[in-house]
């Protein structure tokens, strides 16, 4: 797995979604990323998107799909990454956020 690409893409997507995330989960994602815990960051991001029904644009959906495709599943301990197809199918895609 290309960790440089993973970290860059995960951080970029999180910043695109930041204004739609609850502050405490946004903080958790950022702290995970700053600590190099990319799997944790991506898993939390997926959990927030699913549980809070955060609307995403088509471009954001594709960015998340590309990010999740970097993972050879299953990834032990990361339920949302492992359910990537379900997460992507459940997202609300909108023309604007």
């Amino acid at each position: 797995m290309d960790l440089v690409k993973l970290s860059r893409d995960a951080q970029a997507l999180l910043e695109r979604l930041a204004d739609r995330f609850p502050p405490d989960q946004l903080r958790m994602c950022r702290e995970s990323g700053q600590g190099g815990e990319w799997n944790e960051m991506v898993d939390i991001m997926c959990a927030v998107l699913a549980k809070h029904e955060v609307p995403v644009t088509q471009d954001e959906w594709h960015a998340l799909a590309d990010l999740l495709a970097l993972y050879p599943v299953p990834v032990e301990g990361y339920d949302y990454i492992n359910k990537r197809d379900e997460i992507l199918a459940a997202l609300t895609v909108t023309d604007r956020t």
Side-chain angles (χ1 to χ4, degrees), residues 26-74:
L26 179 60
R27 180 183 42 74
M28 287 173 47
C29 283
R30 285 180 172 155
E31 288 174 358
S32 295
Q34 289 167 353
E37 297 291 331
W38 307 115
N39 296 350
E40 185 73 17
M41 178 185 183
V42 172
D43 205 60
I44 293 169
M45 197 178 343
C46 289
V48 170
L49 290 170
K51 289 181 179 181
H52 294 277
E53 299 178 357
V54 175
V56 296
T57 65
Q58 193 82 21
D59 287 343
E60 292 164 344
W61 187 95
H62 284 290
L64 181 61
D66 291 346
L67 185 62
L68 290 171
L70 295 173
Y71 287 94
V73 294

Side-chain angles (χ1 to χ4, degrees), residues 79-95:
D79 292 337
Y80 288 90
I81 291 172
N82 290 330
K83 296 178 184 176
R84 63 185 174 198
D85 293 337
E86 293 171 45
I87 297 298
L88 290 168
L91 292 178
T92 302
V93 179
T94 182
D95 291 338

